[in-house]
Amino acid sequence: MTSTRVLVLNSGSSSVKYQLLDMRDSSRLAVGLVERIGEETSRLKHTPLVGDGAERERTGPIADHEAALKAVAEELAADGLGLDSPELAAIGHRVVHGGKHFTQPTVIDDVVLAEIERLIPVAPLHNPANLTGIRTAQALRPDLPQIAVFDTAFHTTMPESAARYAIDVETADQHRVRRYGFHGTSHAYVSRATAKLLGKAPEDVNVIVLHLGNGASASAVRGGRCVDTSMGLTPLEGLVMGTRSGDLDPAVIFHLARVGGLSIDEIDALLNKKSGLIGLCGDNDMREIRRRIDEGDERAKLAFDIYIHRLKKYIGAYYAVLGRVDAVAFTAGVGENAAPVRAAAVAGLEELGLAVDADLNTVRGDEPRLISPEYARVKVAVVPTDEELEIATQTYALARKNG
């Protein structure tokens, strides 16, 4: 029997998202989420996409990631999709930080695990959880290929002129301080899907990808390779986000410490969890912000304007980096669903060849689509991202290559 199934695991500090896919046609067989791991109120939501497709939910304490994955295995087995199935080819793990070393999906062994662990100081919230998920899955299926797909890998093609900060080189190298970028699986998927939408090969297309969710990032993709991206050493740099500040004068940190008396941990929490849209207006949901704007809320309007101003600056900057732009692609929760954001982001950029058709922009759909008028020199697209499919595709390709 040919093994064509891939289980994709995205392990967070207190959650596990998962999808089981059949790579013969990239169809989903089951999806689910385990949340609040380690609490009395843990919950597992599982939806089989075979059979009746009815969502199931179980609540009650799930002590740790091992218990969580065992519960996931039980749910899959109940649908005839168990982890012991000979049809399961591999397990693909989302790993947030791969540093400079990991430029491709990688079969996980002890050396790879050690390197992911060494990167914990630059990804303290994500890599430990990713490691826990990997080790738990290894214990459940030690015979199965476990493959890491790194958020940072797509951005390792950036030239040193884009990846390095202008600080002392020896200090930077000693502490691994450079721009790594994140959301790489999304940027990779969307840039290729945009090229397909234009009827061209990825190597013939220059795309600005705008991944706009609660976390947000932009990338400049030339001929299928990332040449710049907005996030840096951590996901804090770049665009205005739901709770993150994005770009900031570094001296603000010194000022808050010296004048405001804030500790490093307090500043960290401020910039990552209490800034961005929620810091500006108290909401990080773009739908709620737009509702407040419609009611005349000036604070919400200012937050939106700051968000758009930063976004427009990056579009212009990456236009300059690429020299020629074939398309600007909006993706992720806000990018795919917030028509006012898309319209505002390109408004006034007609001289750069950018425009949005008002009617096309309001159309909703699950398929990639153009929202620019036919005359526009640069196409504007909405391309729903599919990070799980990207992880599964890369995982399956490597598993097959290795036999």
Side-chain angles (χ1 to χ4, degrees):
M1 182 181 292
T2 303
S3 302
T4 60
R5 294 176 183 172
V6 172
L7 178 64
V8 175
L9 293 178
N10 181 354
S11 300
S13 58
S14 60
S15 67
V16 175
K17 296 178 184 177
Y18 63 93
Q19 292 193 10
L20 181 66
L21 299 92
D22 188 330
M23 300 313 296
R24 287 176 296 186
D25 57 3
S26 300
S27 61
R28 286 165 174 77
L29 303 176
V31 301
L33 168 68
V34 187
E35 55 188 345
R36 298 194 287 270
I37 295 171
E39 301 179 20
E40 293 294 316
T41 57
S42 304
R43 180 173 66 172
L44 188 160
K45 293 174 68 174
H46 175 84
T47 304
L49 301 176
V50 294
D52 62 11
E55 181 183 281
R56 302 194 296 271
E57 183 175 314
R58 62 164 84 175
T59 57
I62 296 177
D64 50 30
H65 282 71
E66 182 179 0
L69 282 184
K70 285 181 177 177
V72 169
E74 290 170 5
E75 294 295 337
L76 290 170
D79 302 315
L81 305 169
L83 296 190
D84 58 351
S85 169
E87 294 184 67
L88 189 60
I91 297 178
H93 297 267
R94 179 196 180 216
V95 179
V96 167
H97 215 308
K100 287 179 62 179
H101 183 71
F102 296 112
T103 63
Q104 300 289 337
T106 305
V107 176
I108 298 168
D109 57 20
D110 289 343
V111 174
V112 173
L113 283 172
E115 182 63 20
I116 295 171
E117 192 160 13
R118 278 195 290 270
L119 287 163
I120 286 175
V122 289
L125 298 178
H126 297 98
N127 275 29
N130 300 155
L131 282 167
T132 300
I134 291 168
R135 287 172 172 144
T136 302
Q138 285 179 321
L140 288 174
R141 281 299 305 267
D143 59 312
L144 204 64
Q146 310 271 339
I147 293 170
V149 177
F150 298 90
D151 267 15
T152 50
F154 183 63
H155 304 303
T156 58
T157 56
M158 284 193 294
E160 285 293 278
S161 56
R164 279 198 176 271
Y165 293 108
I167 66 172
D168 173 68
V169 171
E170 291 183 2
T171 302
D173 289 348
Q174 180 182 353
H175 300 288
R176 303 188 185 206
V177 176
R178 63 186 287 116
R179 302 182 64 251
Y180 294 101
F182 300 89
H183 295 145
T185 51
S186 177
H187 287 278
Y189 177 86
V190 171
S191 60
R192 286 202 311 274
T194 302
K196 183 179 180 181
L197 182 64
L198 299 183
K200 297 182 179 181
E203 56 266 26
D204 297 327
V205 176
N206 290 355
V207 186
I208 297 172
V209 178
L210 304 172
H211 177 108
L212 308 179
N214 192 49
S217 60
S219 68
V221 183
R222 178 185 292 126
R225 293 166 63 87
C226 178
V227 295
D228 206 349
T229 193
S230 58
M231 286 180 168
L233 174 71
T234 75
L236 181 58
E237 187 181 357
L239 302 175
V240 175
M241 304 177 222
T243 66
R244 299 182 194 132
S245 65
D247 291 340
L248 190 77
D249 179 351
V252 171
I253 297 170
F254 314 146
H255 178 79
L256 291 174
R258 293 168 180 160
V259 178
L262 275 67
S263 69
I264 291 297
D265 287 344
E266 288 172 329
I267 296 171
D268 189 318
L270 171 70
L271 299 182
N272 278 291
K273 299 178 181 179
K274 301 176 183 178
S275 296
L277 292 172
I278 205 163
L280 290 167
C281 71
D283 272 308
N284 63 333
D285 187 321
M286 187 58 72
R287 294 165 296 186
E288 182 64 16
I289 291 170
R290 291 301 310 176
R291 184 194 65 78
R292 288 171 55 184
I293 291 172
D294 292 341
E295 293 178 354
D297 188 315
E298 290 298 323
R299 189 175 170 190
K301 183 178 184 304
L302 177 60
F304 182 82
D305 289 347
I306 293 170
Y307 182 95
I308 295 297
H309 180 76
R310 184 81 56 82
L311 185 56
K312 193 170 293 191
K313 282 175 65 175
Y314 268 92
I315 293 173
Y318 287 170
Y319 205 120
V321 167
L322 291 170
R324 187 199 85 239
V325 176
D326 298 297
V328 173
F330 289 87
T331 193
V334 174
E336 293 170 28
N337 298 298
V341 169
R342 298 192 295 260
V346 301
L349 301 182
E350 291 81 9
E351 290 296 319
L352 297 179
L354 284 158
V356 163
D357 181 285
D359 292 331
L360 292 176
N361 191 32
T362 58
V363 174
R364 286 181 170 270
D366 296 327
E367 296 299 320
R369 61 195 185 277
L370 295 177
I371 60 171
S372 49
E374 288 189 11
Y375 65 79
R377 189 169 74 251
V378 178
K379 302 304 180 185
V380 181
V382 179
V383 181
T385 192
D386 198 332
E387 294 175 85
E388 288 78 16
L389 176 57
E390 179 70 17
I391 292 169
T393 300
Q394 293 188 28
T395 296
Y396 187 60
L398 182 56
R400 289 191 67 186
K401 179 181 177 181
N402 291 346

